[in-house]
């Protein structure tokens, strides 16, 4: 099937650097895009050509509405739209304008990131599990900031287990704030990226934003709050149960972690792994999994994560083969 689409001035910005966006459309939809004077010709099967035509039409509509894409966002939004045929490109691009994230517009850069943001908006508790660089913490903080600015909640509470110090912070030098800051720095970084520095300082001073080690959550009931537990893979089952039962009225909780980077002492089980088993079927709780395709850092990070996954799989295979060898020879460990 062939279809010619005429376009006006400015459509060239859809093509991307060295036509990378056109190549993405061709690859994902299995179509060919031929550039003509003031038009493009689409060639492929009916479904692919129809979807590509929708993408071009949505982009022209967005331009007429005055939409300007920040650097890099267009390619990421295209990826999300092309990965899910149920998502309209126009609706996806506009969704970032429906919430105020402070000084930035926050858009999902992958299909799983979109699912994650939708789950946080919909459910009262969400677990985001995946490797570093997939946006788990940043997007959770962005959604918390949006909820605070919209007055959906009265405060934000950000927590992490200070596992490196065994949560025995009294043995570290300095004031309490100086002791806990190194463990909570990624949360501060997200806040300062989303809000003006002066606003962050005011909110911290008023305790509208509270940042504390997980141990400080014990015994509290958190109402009208957006609560984030970061690095949850380093909680014990007891700590995790304590945290998830802190949830009060009109509150949301987001729990993030990377189960491949557990720093607990040998022999201690991860509370995050147990929570996935225990809470997986509880109504009102969503679990979103991320992988290397969701990494939004340097492109090498995706390859590094994939290489470690392959290495871990090969190591597991070697272990199984060794076990079978022992069984076959009658040897024991």
């Amino acid at each position: 099937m062939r279809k010619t689409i005429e376009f006006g001035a400015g459509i060239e910005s859809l093509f991307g650097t060295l036509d990378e966006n056109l190549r993405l459309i061709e690859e994902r939809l299995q179509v060919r895009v031929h550039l003509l004077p003031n038009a493009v010709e689409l060639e492929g099967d009916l479904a692919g050509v129809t979807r590509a035509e929708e993408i071009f039409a949505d982009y022209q509509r967005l331009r007429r509405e005055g939409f300007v894409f920040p650097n890099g966002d267009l390619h990421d939004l295209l990826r999300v739209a092309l990965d899910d045929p149920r998502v309209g490109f126009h609706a996806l691009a506009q969704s970032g304008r429906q919430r105020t994230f402070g000084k930035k517009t926050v858009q999902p850069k992958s299909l799983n990131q979109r699912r994650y943001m939708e789950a946080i908006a919909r459910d009262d508790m969400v677990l985001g599990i995946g490797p570093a660089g997939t946006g788990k913490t940043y997007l959770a903080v962005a959604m918390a900031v949006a909820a605070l600015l919209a007055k959906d909640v009265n405060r934000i509470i950000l927590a992490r287990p200070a596992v490196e110090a065994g949560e025995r912070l009294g043995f570290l030098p300095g004031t309490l704030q100086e002791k806990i800051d190194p463990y909570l720095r990624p949360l501060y970084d997200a806040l300062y990226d989303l809000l003006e520095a002066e606003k962050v300082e005011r909110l911290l001073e008023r305790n509208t934003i509270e940042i504390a080690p997980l141990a400080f959550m014990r015994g509290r009931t958190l109402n009208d709050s957006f609560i984030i537990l970061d690095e949850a893979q380093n909680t014990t089952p007891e700590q995790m149960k304590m945290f998830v039962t802190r949830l009060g009225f009109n509150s949301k909780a987001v729990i993030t972690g990377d189960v491949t980077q557990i720093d607990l002492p040998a022999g201690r089980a991860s509370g995050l792994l147990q929570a996935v088993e225990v809470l997986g079927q509880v109504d009102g709780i969503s679990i979103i999994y991320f992988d290397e395709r969701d990494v939004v850092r340097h492109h090498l990070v995706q390859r590094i994560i994939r290489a470690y996954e392959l290495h871990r799989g090969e190591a597991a295979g070697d272990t199984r083969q060794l076990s079978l060898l022992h069984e076959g020879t009658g040897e024991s460990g």
Side-chain angles (χ1 to χ4, degrees):
M1 176 182 178
R2 290 176 181 266
K3 183 69 176 287
T4 300
I5 303 174
E6 296 183 357
F7 55 77
I11 190 68
E12 296 86 355
S13 56
L14 173 62
F15 301 166
T17 304
L18 300 177
D19 294 339
E20 64 175 351
N21 293 338
L22 291 186
R23 292 200 302 273
L24 179 66
I25 292 171
E26 289 181 326
E27 174 190 338
R28 297 297 174 88
L29 300 181
Q30 294 297 296
V31 299
R32 295 292 298 168
V33 181
H34 306 286
L35 299 181
L36 307 173
N38 300 318
V40 293
E41 183 183 70
L42 305 174
E43 180 182 358
D45 63 26
L46 176 60
V49 169
T50 300
R51 182 62 171 155
E53 185 179 11
E54 291 172 354
I55 295 291
F56 277 92
D58 279 349
Y59 186 76
Q60 294 191 82
R61 180 181 169 192
L62 287 166
R63 283 191 54 81
R64 288 195 300 270
E65 294 171 354
F67 199 97
V68 177
F69 292 93
N71 289 338
D73 281 4
L74 176 57
H75 187 75
D76 293 325
L77 285 171
L78 274 173
R79 281 200 313 161
V80 176
L82 292 170
D83 282 346
D84 189 346
R86 299 167 299 176
V87 177
F89 182 58
H90 180 272
L92 182 65
Q94 288 285 8
S95 64
R97 291 183 168 182
Q98 295 171 6
R99 298 186 184 93
T100 300
F101 297 97
K103 63 183 181 180
K104 299 191 73 172
T105 297
V106 177
Q107 296 278 12
K109 296 182 181 298
S110 71
L111 184 58
N112 284 330
Q113 286 193 1
R114 183 178 71 84
R115 291 171 176 160
Y116 184 55
M117 295 177 74
E118 290 177 348
I120 293 173
R122 180 185 65 244
D123 297 323
D124 287 338
M125 185 173 291
V126 176
L127 283 70
I129 301 172
T134 50
K136 306 182 303 295
T137 300
Y138 185 88
L139 291 177
V141 174
M143 294 294 284
V145 167
L148 182 67
L149 295 178
K151 302 188 184 303
D152 293 332
V153 297
N154 293 332
R155 58 179 172 166
I156 297 172
I157 300 174
L158 309 173
R160 284 183 117 190
V163 67
E164 295 87 348
E167 293 200 346
R168 297 172 183 172
L169 298 172
F171 291 98
L172 298 177
T175 66
L176 177 62
Q177 197 64 39
E178 290 170 341
K179 293 173 183 179
I180 65 178
D181 274 359
Y183 305 103
L184 306 169
R185 179 50 51 188
L187 301 173
Y188 282 109
D189 290 343
L191 285 172
Y192 283 110
D193 192 51
L194 292 160
L195 296 169
E196 300 293 344
E198 297 80 5
K199 188 172 184 67
V200 174
E201 297 299 334
R202 287 198 306 272
L203 293 172
L204 288 169
E205 288 173 7
R206 297 172 185 169
N207 226 29
T208 303
I209 297 180
E210 178 184 347
I211 304 181
L214 175 61
F216 287 28
M217 299 294 104
R218 193 173 301 279
R220 302 174 64 182
T221 300
L222 306 172
N223 297 317
D224 299 304
S225 303
F226 196 117
I227 315 141
I228 298 172
L229 174 59
D230 194 32
E231 297 289 340
Q233 75 274 8
N234 290 326
T235 62
T236 64
E238 295 79 13
Q239 289 173 324
M240 179 61 75
K241 182 179 179 182
M242 178 272 293
F243 175 81
V244 298
T245 54
R246 299 307 93 198
L247 197 65
F249 294 108
N250 191 41
S251 291
K252 282 183 179 288
V254 179
I255 300 165
T256 69
D258 178 359
V259 294
T260 68
Q261 296 192 31
I262 297 174
D263 300 317
L264 292 168
R268 298 301 302 272
S270 168
L272 180 59
L273 289 174
Q274 186 188 72
V276 170
E277 296 178 6
V278 174
L279 305 177
Q281 302 301 318
V282 175
D283 189 37
I285 298 178
S286 288
I287 303 177
I288 306 297
Y289 293 94
F290 298 87
D291 56 36
E292 78 275 0
R293 292 169 296 181
D294 303 300
V295 171
V296 291
R297 294 179 181 172
H298 193 285
H299 62 84
L300 273 178
V301 177
Q302 291 186 356
R303 301 175 193 171
I304 290 169
I305 291 171
R306 183 60 181 158
Y308 271 100
E309 289 179 348
L310 290 172
H311 176 75
R312 188 165 62 249
E314 291 170 358
D318 291 343
T319 301
R320 285 193 297 270
Q321 289 179 11
L322 183 60
S323 176
L324 291 172
L325 178 62
H326 281 309
E327 292 176 6
T329 58
E331 297 178 8
S332 65

